[in-house]
Amino acid sequence: MAQLTNCIAMMNEGIERVSQIIPQMPAVEARLCRLMLMVGSSLEEELEFKLKPHKLNHSDFLTLMILYSRPDGSSTPGELCEFATQGATNMTRITNALVKRGLITRGASAEDRRRVVIRITAAGKRFVQKMLPPMFPRVSAMFAGFSEADKRNLGRLLGKLAHNLDQLDPDTQP
Amino acid sequence: MAQLTNCIAMMNEGIERVSQIIPQMPAVEARLCRLMLMVGSSLEEELEFKLKPHKLNHSDFLTLMILYSRPDGSSTPGELCEFATQGATNMTRITNALVKRGLITRGASAEDRRRVVIRITAAGKRFVQKMLPPMFPRVSAMFAGFSEADKRNLGRLLGKLAHNLDQLDPDTQP
DNA sequence: ACATTTTACTTCATCAGTGAAATATGACTT
DNA sequence: AAGTCATATTTCACTGATGAAGTAAAATGT
């Protein structure tokens, strides 16, 4: 994979030059955007890499983890779509795949028969408990050299950014 | 689109529960990872949304911007692959599309005739200069409420994270 | 009570992106 | 000059994601 640091150095120069041609550009903010995008996709790559041996992709994993983290280990496709930010179509596919592997079950809801209840199985829980720990060292290593204040700060700033993105969303076409 | 803030709240509870079952999990770090991933993909979504009216996707845009930001407005497929973190296959496709729209040209290199020189055209530059400014308000809005120190800090922390990810990369399978 | 609308998924056709392998060409090494 | 390496493109098979339409059940209006 390409060195992130190189790309960043290159980007910094690029932004510098562009902001000389187009001075009204919010250069600092644009740079932060690109940084977020780069680090985000690098992180995604890293995650997919760790998931590959388990034959899972990001959405599969996320779906499974949401179920795992539920007190009762269950949810519905609609809810999973919302929290995993996936389309319904995709969630059907993910669910199919996980059911086939015996990690979750799909059942009809008693109250509302339109609804489908998805539940993690005992095998699913064991699977998560086995695959998760080997990831921990790399996760920790990502934050090497971060003080407690750094981590708090990063969390706070990302939260603020998330909030602003939510406000932005009422999609007024630019 | 789903509210990021909801997803974050849900994630916080989820991590809390998981870390009770699996106490050795680096909970703070894992939470920051997920935050980064969520904000990153939301940002990506926002970007793609802004690009759609121009019939560009993220890779197309990035490729074009790299060329635009070059003093001489030119590069090679290999270099573009590196900085846009794209595979060669994809870069060929991107280049084809941009050439067809007259935004860039593909020519043979004088010194090394294996090489292909990709250059942004005058039309390409005009295109960038026209499409970029309407994005600025949204970019600025993303960082509403950020002090100068906040922006500096975010930049610093993302840079540090990027550095750690680079160190991590020597892919020792977990 | 019946018709309409809404909600919850699923199915199907399609598309963008990716990896692997094949091809072509040119440069470098000895 | 021959062999090896580097650069770029093309082809192909595949995965993952998406949009449009379809089905079924429940909620709502009249």
Side-chain angles (χ1 to χ4, degrees):
Chain A
M1 173 214 167
Q3 282 283 331
L4 208 40
T5 314
N6 284 352
C7 293
I8 292 176
M10 185 272 180
M11 188 241 324
N12 285 333
E13 291 172 32
I15 295 244
E16 177 58 30
R17 276 193 220 101
V18 173
S19 82
Q20 270 165 19
I21 311 176
I22 311 179
Q24 71 269 33
M25 176 170 72
V28 177
E29 287 80 1
R31 180 175 166 275
L32 287 174
C33 271
R34 288 240 34 90
L35 251 181
M36 279 294 310
L37 286 167
M38 292 165 99
V39 176
S41 68
S42 174
L43 209 51
E44 177 115 22
E45 203 176 313
E46 162 67 18
L47 177 59
E48 298 271 13
F49 171 74
K50 280 188 294 204
L51 293 177
K52 195 164 258 177
H54 306 287
K55 312 269 189 216
L56 286 178
N57 65 19
H58 190 171
S59 350
D60 299 339
F61 174 65
L62 187 49
T63 304
L64 192 58
M65 285 310 298
I66 292 174
L67 289 170
Y68 183 83
S69 75
R70 285 303 175 87
D72 59 353
S74 78
S75 184
T76 65
E79 204 183 18
L80 290 171
C81 282
E82 186 186 344
F83 290 128
T85 10
Q86 291 291 321
T89 309
N90 210 20
M91 192 47 72
T92 299
R93 186 183 53 75
I94 293 166
T95 308
N96 286 341
L98 295 178
V99 167
K100 197 188 281 183
R101 292 178 64 176
L103 302 175
I104 65 173
T105 58
R106 212 195 310 235
S109 161
E111 317 90 58
D112 185 339
R113 278 182 302 180
R114 286 170 302 185
R115 274 213 155 105
V116 169
V117 175
I118 294 171
R119 190 177 302 278
I120 190 168
T121 63
K125 287 183 192 169
R126 279 197 304 276
F127 178 81
V128 170
Q129 274 152 12
K130 201 172 167 188
M131 72 167 295
L132 228 41
M135 295 182 159
F136 297 161
R138 293 196 142 222
V139 172
S140 300
M142 281 177 207
F143 295 93
F146 277 64
S147 69
E148 290 309 309
D150 281 345
K151 291 177 202 169
R152 239 190 341 267
N153 247 308
L154 184 55
R156 179 180 64 86
L157 295 170
L158 290 177
K160 203 184 248 191
L161 195 49
H163 178 261
N164 287 346
L165 281 167
D166 276 345
Q167 302 306 308
L168 207 64
D169 222 34
D171 283 342
T172 28
Q173 201 81 353
Chain B
M1 172 211 166
Q3 282 284 329
L4 209 39
T5 315
N6 284 351
C7 294
I8 292 175
M10 184 272 178
M11 189 239 326
N12 285 334
E13 292 172 32
I15 295 241
E16 178 58 30
R17 277 194 220 98
V18 172
S19 81
Q20 270 165 19
I21 311 176
I22 311 177
Q24 71 269 32
M25 174 170 74
V28 177
E29 287 80 0
R31 179 174 167 276
L32 287 174
C33 271
R34 288 241 32 93
L35 250 182
M36 280 293 310
L37 286 168
M38 292 165 96
V39 176
S41 67
S42 173
L43 209 51
E44 178 116 20
E45 201 176 313
E46 161 70 16
L47 177 58
E48 298 272 12
F49 171 74
K50 280 188 294 205
L51 292 177
K52 194 164 258 176
H54 306 288
K55 313 269 190 218
L56 286 178
N57 64 18
H58 190 170
S59 349
D60 299 339
F61 175 65
L62 186 50
T63 304
L64 193 58
M65 285 309 298
I66 292 174
L67 289 169
Y68 183 83
S69 75
R70 285 304 175 84
D72 59 352
S74 78
S75 185
T76 66
E79 203 182 18
L80 289 172
C81 282
E82 186 187 344
F83 289 129
T85 11
Q86 291 292 321
T89 307
N90 210 20
M91 192 47 73
T92 300
R93 190 181 50 76
I94 293 167
T95 307
N96 286 341
L98 294 177
V99 167
K100 196 189 281 183
R101 290 179 63 175
L103 302 175
I104 65 173
T105 58
R106 211 194 312 236
S109 161
E111 316 90 59
D112 185 338
R113 277 182 304 182
R114 287 170 301 187
R115 274 216 154 107
V116 169
V117 175
I118 293 173
R119 190 176 302 277
I120 190 168
T121 62
K125 287 184 192 169
R126 279 196 304 275
F127 179 80
V128 170
Q129 274 153 11
K130 199 171 170 188
M131 72 168 294
L132 228 41
M135 295 182 159
F136 297 160
R138 292 195 143 224
V139 172
S140 300
M142 281 176 207
F143 295 94
F146 278 63
S147 70
E148 290 309 309
D150 282 344
K151 292 177 202 169
R152 240 189 340 268
N153 247 308
L154 184 55
R156 179 180 64 85
L157 295 170
L158 290 175
K160 204 185 249 191
L161 195 49
H163 178 260
N164 287 347
L165 280 166
D166 276 346
Q167 301 307 308
L168 208 63
D169 223 36
D171 284 343
T172 28
Q173 201 82 353

